[in-house]
Amino acid sequence: MAVDVRWLKNTLVIFFSQIVIIGFFSFFFYFTKDKITGISVITGGLTYCVPTLFAGIFMSRASDKSAPLALSKAYLGELYKIIITISLFIYIFKNIPIEISMFLIAYGAMFVMQSVMSFIVNKSN
């Protein structure tokens, strides 16, 4: 099973860009507002980034055997991503004191950043 190196490289570039942005804004809100806001930003961002990274790595090991096999791998990767995301939402909302608005803003910002970065990175290749 071959790994699509270009797709994997693009996924990792986007992931580490998101980590830098999450870290910056988390530190900013941690020191300017309070600890809970900083934790909310980092958990919100990571709740989007980590499942997306796992799905990207899973789907980068695409099979060259047939189109239906590649399509099923893509659907399975998205299913894994949804399951991990729901699990993280449940865990965080039950066990970690967060500010929900900042959590959701960070989650949405990472969604937008993923879309924009995917367009930029894939257009440059």
Side-chain angles (χ1 to χ4, degrees):
M1 191 171 296
V3 174
D4 186 355
V5 178
R6 187 176 62 104
W7 188 20
L8 184 60
K9 183 187 121 208
N10 291 348
T11 301
L12 291 175
V13 165
I14 293 168
F15 176 74
F16 288 117
S17 301
Q18 288 174 320
I19 293 297
V20 168
I21 296 296
I22 291 169
F24 173 76
F25 282 106
S26 178
F27 279 123
F28 176 76
F29 285 114
Y30 184 86
F31 291 116
T32 60
K33 198 160 183 192
D34 62 353
K35 180 181 176 180
I36 301 231
T37 306
I39 290 172
S40 299
V41 170
I42 203 160
T43 55
L46 289 177
T47 299
Y48 184 81
C49 294
V50 171
T52 303
L53 175 68
F54 287 149
I57 290 172
F58 179 77
M59 289 185 281
S60 71
R61 300 183 332 202
S63 175
D64 295 336
K65 293 182 181 179
S66 68
L69 208 67
L71 185 61
S72 67
K73 191 132 192 153
Y75 281 126
L76 195 57
E78 285 299 317
L79 181 64
Y80 289 158
K81 182 171 120 177
I82 291 169
I83 290 170
I84 293 170
T85 302
I86 290 171
S87 301
L88 286 171
F89 264 91
I90 291 170
Y91 177 79
I92 289 168
F93 285 160
K94 284 183 125 186
N95 299 318
I96 300 174
I98 60 168
E99 188 178 322
I100 294 175
S101 61
M102 291 305 290
F103 175 88
L104 294 175
I105 288 170
Y107 185 88
M110 288 303 105
F111 173 76
V112 170
M113 185 177 176
Q114 172 80 24
S115 302
V116 171
M117 288 290 296
S118 292
F119 180 74
I120 291 170
V121 169
N122 290 327
K123 189 174 182 177
S124 68
N125 288 334

